[in-house]
Structure formats: C-alpha cells, structure tokens
Amino acid sequence: MRAGSPRLLREINDRAAIEALLRNGPLTRAELEGIIGLSKPATAQLLTRLEEDGTVLRTGLRGGGRGPRAQLWTVNGALAHVAAVDLTPDSIDIAIADISGATLTEHRAPMPKTGVLEAFHSAVTKATTQAGLTTDVLNHVVVGSPGAVDPATGLLNYAPHMPGWENKNIPEELEALLTTSVTVENDVNLVALEEMIAGRAQGVKDFVLLWPADAVGAAVVVNGVLIRGATGGAGEIDAMQVPDHAHADTGTQRTGSRYGDLMASPAIARLARMHGVSARTGQDAVAKALSEGPAGREFLVDLARRVATCAANVISVLDPGLVLLSGDIAQAGGTTLADLVAAELRHLVVPRTPVRLALVTGKPVRSGALHSALSVVREEVFGLPAATTEPFRGPQQGAASSSAP
C-alpha cells in the first residue's frame, strides 16, 4: 500500500460520515456505523477525530427500549452560514441557514423600483441580524432572480420587469455590498434544481420545467446538467412568438403573439371570461374553473392549448423524458391541467412526453437557492462533491457547483 493511503482512507471515511449526518440528521454511533459500513472501533475513532477538530458535536440522546439511551451526533452548523434569496420585482424573500441546513431565520421585505441595491443590502442585513449574525460571516449567498445574468458581463438580461437592476454587474456589486461570494441564478432554474433534489425529477436525466404564468420561464436539464446557453438565456421563452391556439377569441394576434402576453394573469382571466368563468386573476380563474362544470372545462382546455403550443417547440427540439409544470397557475390547475396539456401535445408533437405537476411547492425558488448555497460551502468546507449544475458566480470567479444537501 502506498505511503499516505491510510490518511486518504481516513479522509474518505470522514467525508462519508459527514455526508451521512448531513443527509439523515443526528445519528447514533451505531446508526452511522450501519450507513458508512465501518467497524464499531473505527466509527468511534472517526467520531472522536471529527469532534476534536470541531466538525461534529454531541447533541442529546436517543431513547426508547429497555437499554441505555444512545448519544446522538450532528454536524457543527456554526462552521459556515449561507443566505438564500428569492428576488422578484415586488419583494425580497430571504432565508439564513447554517452549514447543517438548519434555517436560522426568514425575512421578507418589499423591493422598491429605485435604490434596489440599498434595499437588497438592508434586507439581507436585517435577516442576518435576526439570525444573530453579521453579513461578513456569510460564506455564500445565492440569489434567485427572473431573467438571466450574462456570464460575460454580469448584466441581468431577459428581465425588463425588474426596474433598477439594469446596467449593473449584479454579482460583482452584490459581492461588494455583502463582502462575500454571491451566485445569481435564474429563478426557474433553481426550481428545476429543487425538483432534481426533492421533487419529481429525482433520477430523471432529461427534463424540461415550465413555469406558465406571469414572466413565463423554462428550465432545461440534459443528462443531469442544467443548460444555460451562451448568454444565460436558455429557457427564456417569455418573448417567444407563438400562435394562439385557444378557440375563444380574446383579441390576440392569432398568427403569432408573445408567449408571455398569452400567459399573463390578465390574459388568462380574459380567456376565462370568454368561457363564462369570471375571476379577478388568472390563478383564481384556473382554480374556479375546476368546479365550474362544462364552462370551466372548456376554459381549461383552451388554456392547455396555449401552454402546449409553446411546450411543443421545446419538446420537438429536446425530446425530454419529462415535462414538469410549476408555479401558481400550474398548481391551481393541478393534475387536471397537466393531463389536458399532455392531451394537447399529442396533437402537436410525435414524442409522447409525460406531463406532470411539479412536486415542490411553497417557496421553490428560495429552497433551490438554499440547496445551491449549501452545496457550495459544503464543497469548500468538507470537500464534498457537488453536482454539475454550476450556478454563475460572476466573471471574476468562474462557476460554482451546486447540489443537494
């Protein structure tokens, strides 16, 4: 055996133990032993070694049964901290977490139309203060935003609805504000990442995630890798010109309209009214249609025609193994809308691609940002391998990897 091999084996075993603790939460020595496959003495030595260097901590006891309670071990969360941010034209939604993945605090603040950098800095500062930290101890920040950052310039493209953020090298300026490394990632890309980690895309190598709502977007994953394109604009389908295949005439350009205009909330509500379903927003219209009988069904079929018209273009080029529908409109329509989109696609494309409702709900953008940030710091601190999604971190730094916790 080569000199140095025992040390290498210890490092491999240490990483396996850390990864098991991060994935499963607090474990007893016996539980950890079963997961990583070491002997009882070797596992005990490993835990002692990791405790002495501050990597793991004792955290209570596990009871139950007639025997003595067993010591629990966990990763020392204080080793690093991250911030995950969901940035929209109207708000900034922040979560602060430690390296174990434990969320320390959440904070949401309005996003003004001017002074956006100052508002961003103020919101992140308040969130870190709530967590008992300061921004200079954040090891990494991931920001999910509409549009896409051009890797050559750092400018936010494809996002005219984000006033105040234009003509800025956003990663560079945010890093200067927070004095830490910052990843800026497209919001829908982060949702796709979250579906790969905790949703319906687990184990799916090729899929497309569509966000058919205001500021329509898509994420494309090929062979397990998120595709961004030369300027970061892969999946920016909002401006794609598509015909309106809805049977009800709502005054659109029937031969070709901007897809985002067809899928905006007012446009969906207008289409619903043409079918006798009255609602204030597109989301309300879709939810109401599910209980409106034939009129509601006709509206949902027409809406599915609009969704499918754009999806067909993507499917014809990529032939993915799965199409996921995400966002408020998709969740409001549920499996009914997904099934109707699949039925419409059978008239438009040869591949019989399954269409499913995305599984991750709640705050999928922020959740994806959190997993991405944790992946970066876990690679830096523990040497754990990261996935190949590589979110953009700014021209001066190159790409950083992201993965599940």
Side-chain angles (χ1 to χ4, degrees):
M1 185 176 289
R2 296 195 315 269
S5 293
R7 179 179 179 182
L8 176 60
L9 288 174
R10 282 197 300 271
E11 291 176 352
I12 292 172
N13 290 334
D14 288 355
R15 283 197 296 268
I18 293 166
E19 193 167 19
L21 289 168
L22 290 171
R23 184 170 57 249
N24 297 284
L27 296 171
T28 66
R29 179 204 51 75
E31 290 168 340
L32 183 60
E33 175 187 326
I35 292 172
I36 63 178
L38 293 180
S39 66
K40 179 178 178 179
T43 305
Q45 291 173 7
L46 178 153
L47 286 170
T48 298
R49 185 167 61 248
L50 292 178
E51 183 183 27
E52 288 176 350
D53 68 16
T55 301
V56 302
L57 302 171
R58 299 170 189 252
T59 175
L61 301 171
R62 175 159 291 160
R66 296 182 179 180
R69 294 192 295 171
Q71 178 67 58
L72 286 168
W73 300 84
T74 189
V75 170
N76 181 3
L79 289 172
H81 297 89
V82 299
V85 181
D86 180 7
L87 181 65
T88 73
D90 303 314
S91 68
I92 175 171
D93 187 13
I94 307 165
I96 306 294
D98 64 30
I99 198 170
S100 76
T103 299
L104 305 180
T105 193
E106 298 173 308
H107 175 61
R108 186 181 179 92
M111 178 52 62
K113 306 303 181 187
T114 59
V116 293
L117 291 176
E118 293 80 1
F120 183 95
H121 184 247
S122 175
V124 175
T125 300
K126 183 169 183 179
T128 52
T129 300
Q130 287 178 183
L133 305 169
T134 55
T135 57
D136 60 349
V137 302
L138 292 175
N139 297 75
H140 193 60
V141 178
V142 173
V143 181
S145 169
V149 169
D150 188 324
T153 65
L155 299 179
L156 185 65
N157 296 328
Y158 313 101
H161 53 301
M162 292 288 288
W165 293 95
E166 64 273 10
N167 302 320
K168 292 178 174 63
N169 184 321
I170 295 177
E172 192 174 84
E173 296 206 33
L174 294 184
E175 287 180 345
L177 280 175
L178 302 177
T179 63
T180 191
S181 61
V182 177
T183 290
V184 182
E185 179 61 276
N186 172 261
D187 50 4
V188 181
N189 284 350
L190 288 173
V191 177
L193 171 63
E194 191 67 3
E195 286 291 329
M196 294 169 72
I197 295 168
R200 295 197 194 280
Q202 293 180 75
V204 180
K205 294 177 65 176
D206 304 295
F207 74 96
V208 173
L209 184 139
L210 295 178
W211 187 284
D214 290 303
V216 176
V220 178
V221 174
V222 175
N223 200 27
V225 178
L226 192 61
I227 304 301
R228 290 182 177 78
T231 64
E236 291 295 338
I237 58 176
D238 189 80
M240 182 184 292
Q241 296 293 307
V242 297
D244 185 6
H245 285 164
H247 289 183
D249 186 357
T250 59
T252 62
Q253 293 292 327
R254 308 296 286 181
T255 57
S257 297
R258 181 176 167 273
Y259 188 52
D261 291 340
L262 294 178
M263 297 305 301
S265 181
I268 294 173
R270 187 160 54 249
L271 181 64
R273 285 194 296 273
M274 296 301 296
H275 287 283
V277 179
S278 181
R280 185 173 58 87
T281 68
Q283 183 180 351
D284 291 342
V286 172
K288 187 176 180 181
L290 294 174
S291 60
E292 287 284 291
R297 179 78 175 187
E298 290 172 6
F299 157 60
L300 291 175
V301 170
D302 247 2
L303 179 61
R305 291 187 180 108
R306 286 185 174 178
V307 176
T309 301
C310 184
N313 294 321
V314 180
I315 291 171
S316 296
V317 173
L318 297 173
D319 188 20
L322 177 67
V323 170
L324 290 175
L325 302 182
S326 188
D328 293 340
I329 294 296
Q331 292 298 330
T335 56
T336 298
L337 181 60
D339 291 345
L340 290 173
V341 171
E344 290 301 318
L345 283 170
R346 284 194 279 273
H347 301 302
L348 299 173
V349 293
V350 174
R352 295 297 182 253
T353 307
V355 179
R356 300 285 185 266
L357 190 65
L359 189 61
V360 179
T361 58
K363 297 178 180 290
V365 175
R366 201 184 73 181
S367 295
L370 180 57
H371 278 106
S372 181
L374 288 171
S375 178
V376 170
V377 297
R378 289 172 180 177
E379 184 180 25
E380 293 173 350
V381 175
F382 300 133
L384 295 178
T388 54
T389 46
E390 297 182 352
F392 176 63
R393 291 177 64 181
Q396 77 282 9
Q397 295 182 8
S401 298
S402 67
S403 176

